[in-house]
């Protein structure tokens, strides 16, 4: 039985990787709006979500979704440790852009009580804290879907420099419509569509996560260098190759 499950996993993984590679090649030179249109209305109809941090760059992708598919499930990982400015920005953007299906995902209460009773896990073991508050809630919700859209870009960090347009992580397809975008592209999109900036950007936060783990950065520094500053951690874990579940 175990051998049969392994064969099915291998088959699914190679089939998914092949489909992701073919879509990446076909979509590499499409606009972000065309990629969204294809992903939402052609390839993964009713089977795709968008994960958004409602951070510094998020309004661009959210604006496109508001025009192309306002009913799309927009997932916000509510860790209970967000800046209040982020929560206000989430609510204001959702109303302004006509997003009708913003869903707040939280840690399971009994898991949080058992694993982080003191609320200090972010300091003692940030990987475990992100796993509890981001990875598992997203993984549970995504059991009902086969694909999700992310706003990651190649220019953001060395770990994202080779980001494909479409990935397959063993369970889900991930669509990255902004993979080729630069910070100038984002700035121009905000300007052309009169989008409001996240209020913390002007205070030196080019990348915004939980208040416990985000610091402002100096001009010219890597935009993500204020995230988990002073530690080896660079990603929260939701973009690891296979998150949660057994991969099938
Ligand atoms: S970013 Fe920090 S506080 Fe937020 S879930 Fe991760 S470790 Fe916890």
């Amino acid at each position: 039985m175990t051998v049969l499950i392994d064969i099915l996993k291998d088959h699914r993984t190679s089939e998914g990787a092949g489909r992701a590679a073919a879509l990446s090649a076909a979509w590499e030179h499409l606009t972000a709006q065309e990629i969204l249109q294809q992903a939402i209305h052609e390839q993964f109809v009713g089977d795709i979500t968008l994960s958004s941090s409602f951070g510094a760059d998020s309004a661009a992708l959210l604006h496109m979704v508001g025009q192309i598919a306002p009913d799309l499930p927009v997932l916000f990982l509510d860790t209970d440790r967000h800046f209040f400015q982020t929560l206000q920005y989430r609510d204001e953007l959702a109303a302004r852009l006509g997003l009708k299906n913003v869903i707040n995902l939280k840690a399971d209460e009994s898991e949080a009580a058992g694993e982080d009773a003191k609320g200090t896990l972010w300091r003692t073991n940030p990987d475990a804290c992100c796993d509890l508050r981001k990875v598992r809630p997203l993984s549970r919700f995504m059991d009902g879907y086969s694909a999700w859209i992310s706003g990651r870009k190649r220019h953001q960090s060395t770990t994202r420099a080779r980001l494909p347009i479409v990935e397959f992580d063993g369970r889900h397809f991930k669509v990255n419509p902004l993979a080729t975008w630069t910070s100038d592209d984002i700035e121009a999109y905000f300007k052309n569509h009169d989008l409001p900036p996240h209020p913390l950007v002007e205070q030196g936060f080019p990348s915004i996560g939980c208040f416990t783990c985000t610091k402002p950065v100096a001009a010219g520094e890597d935009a993500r260098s204020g995230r988990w500053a002073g530690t080896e951690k660079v990603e929260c874990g939701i973009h690891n190759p296979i998150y949660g579940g057994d991969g099938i």
Side-chain angles (χ1 to χ4, degrees):
M1 185 63 179
T2 307
V3 173
L4 180 60
I5 289 174
D6 284 344
I7 290 171
L8 287 171
K9 280 184 187 174
D10 285 348
H11 177 68
R12 178 174 159 168
T13 299
S14 82
E15 200 175 38
R19 185 179 173 196
L23 290 174
S24 288
W27 294 355
E28 176 71 25
H29 300 292
L30 296 188
T31 65
Q33 290 94 332
E34 288 169 338
I35 293 170
L36 286 172
Q37 188 76 30
Q38 286 285 324
I40 297 168
H41 294 308
E42 301 288 339
Q43 288 288 329
F44 305 108
V45 181
D47 202 19
I48 186 167
T49 69
L50 164 71
S51 170
S52 179
S53 64
F54 287 83
D57 293 348
S58 301
L61 196 50
L62 292 169
H63 176 262
M64 295 177 203
V65 165
Q67 296 196 317
I68 292 168
D71 291 322
L72 188 81
V74 174
L75 312 180
F76 176 73
L77 298 170
D78 188 349
T79 62
D80 285 325
R81 280 145 182 76
H82 283 289
F83 292 95
F84 74 88
Q85 292 95 332
T86 298
L87 303 180
Q88 283 180 349
Y89 189 59
R90 172 199 61 192
D91 295 343
E92 286 166 14
L93 270 188
R96 178 168 176 155
L97 303 179
L99 302 171
K100 297 179 183 160
N101 199 6
V102 176
I103 299 167
N104 297 318
L105 300 179
K106 283 180 173 267
D108 178 88
E109 281 185 20
S110 60
E111 288 179 0
E115 297 170 33
D116 190 16
K118 293 181 182 168
T120 54
L121 196 58
W122 65 273
R123 191 186 301 130
T124 56
N125 190 341
D127 282 338
C129 184
C130 280
D131 188 65
L132 169 68
R133 296 190 163 84
K134 294 184 174 182
V135 178
R136 274 180 265 160
L138 180 62
S139 180
R140 276 192 282 266
F141 188 87
M142 286 303 299
D143 276 344
Y145 293 85
S146 67
W148 53 293
I149 299 160
S150 109
R152 289 174 301 159
K153 301 158 213 76
R154 291 173 189 163
H155 82 84
Q156 285 176 309
S157 64
T158 50
T159 54
R160 297 182 179 183
R162 293 160 62 85
L163 184 69
I165 303 293
V166 182
E167 306 163 89
F168 183 69
D169 65 11
R171 284 178 71 203
H172 297 103
F173 292 91
K174 268 190 286 183
V175 181
N176 306 305
L178 306 183
T180 63
W181 280 39
T182 65
S183 44
D184 285 348
D185 293 328
I186 291 286
E187 194 178 324
Y189 193 93
F190 267 66
K191 194 172 172 192
N192 292 340
H193 297 280
D194 195 25
L195 296 175
H198 189 297
L200 290 177
V201 170
E202 65 176 12
Q203 294 181 38
F205 292 84
S207 177
I208 301 155
C210 296
F211 65 79
T212 41
C213 304
T214 310
K215 289 184 174 165
V217 305
E221 281 185 343
D222 184 323
R224 286 182 63 80
S225 63
R227 307 289 295 278
W228 306 285
T231 75
E232 300 277 302
K233 188 171 169 64
V234 292
E235 299 278 357
C236 67
I238 64 171
H239 297 297
N240 288 349
I242 293 177
Y243 54 91
D246 63 4
I248 189 166

